[in-house]
Structures are given as structure tokens and as C-alpha cells.
Amino acid sequence: MRLLDLDKRLIGWLDRHFYPDVADNWDNDQFRELVLSHLRPTHALLDIGAGRGALPQMDFRGHARKVVGADPDPAVLENPYLDEHLVATGEHLDALEDSSIDVVVSNNVLEHVPDAQGFFEEA
């Protein structure tokens, strides 16, 4: 059995055992609800690590004045959930004016960040 298959089986068991009343992608659904509880229509939201837009839970258009996404992968340019696209890392967001963003989010990103202090200082 491949390690990836074992990981998927273990994750499935954990989900069924600890979260029997929560659907697949529960973490992304809960993340979305948390963000929406703080987001206002007047806010500009920055999604650091937005990627290609694989998660529909990260579509905050219509809930914010503007949704900006940053990712070092140029696939971010194809992300359908963004109003503005930046090919950039979270540590280097020079294209954004200081204080131009009201809410900053990152989902499934921090494990890929080599300079966590720089990441949080820039955010």
C-alpha cells in the first residue's frame, strides 16, 4: 500500500471518528465561516497563498469590496476568485500599498513558508 493511500485512509478514519456530523472539507468550510464572521462589504481582503483557486470555500467575492490574491506560483493569475492577482510571496508584497488591506487570510500555506517572521511582519 502506498503511503499516500494510507494517509487518505487515516484522514478518513479521523474525520469519521472525531467529526461524524461534519462533511468532507470540514476544515475549509469552517475556515470560510470564520473569515465571513469578520469580513465586511467595505473590506479589502488579501489571500496569501491563493494559488490557482482550487477551493471554492476561498471565494469571498461579493463579501468584500476587493479580493486580492498573492502566490509565488503564476497559476494565481488564473484564480477565478480574485479581483486582483499578484505573483509574490507573503514576505514580499511590495505591489500593495501599506494599510490598503483590511483582512489577511492564508489557508494551507504556513507549512510552505520559509520565513514565518517575515511573512507575519509583511501581513
Side-chain angles (χ1 to χ4, degrees), residues 28-48:
N28 297 315
D29 293 338
Q30 289 184 357
F31 183 86
R32 177 180 176 76
E33 291 305 314
L34 179 63
V35 172
L36 289 174
S37 74
H38 295 280
L39 193 59
R40 302 293 173 259
T42 57
H43 287 159
L45 179 137
L46 170 62
D47 180 358
I48 303 177

Side-chain angles (χ1 to χ4, degrees), residues 42-108:
T42 57
H43 287 159
L45 179 137
L46 170 62
D47 180 358
I48 303 177
R52 61 185 168 80
L55 297 175
Q57 292 92 338
M58 296 300 291
D59 183 359
F60 295 106
R61 293 169 306 156
H63 298 278
R65 173 176 49 83
K66 174 173 68 171
V67 180
V68 180
D71 198 287
D73 187 331
V76 72
L77 300 171
E78 304 302 321
N79 186 323
Y81 305 136
L82 305 175
D83 298 310
E84 294 180 21
H85 309 76
L86 300 173
V87 178
T89 65
E91 298 90 343
H92 302 285
L93 297 168
D94 303 328
L96 292 174
E97 284 187 40
D98 288 348
S99 302
S100 64
I101 299 295
D102 302 293
V103 176
V104 178
V105 299
S106 280
N107 188 15
N108 300 312

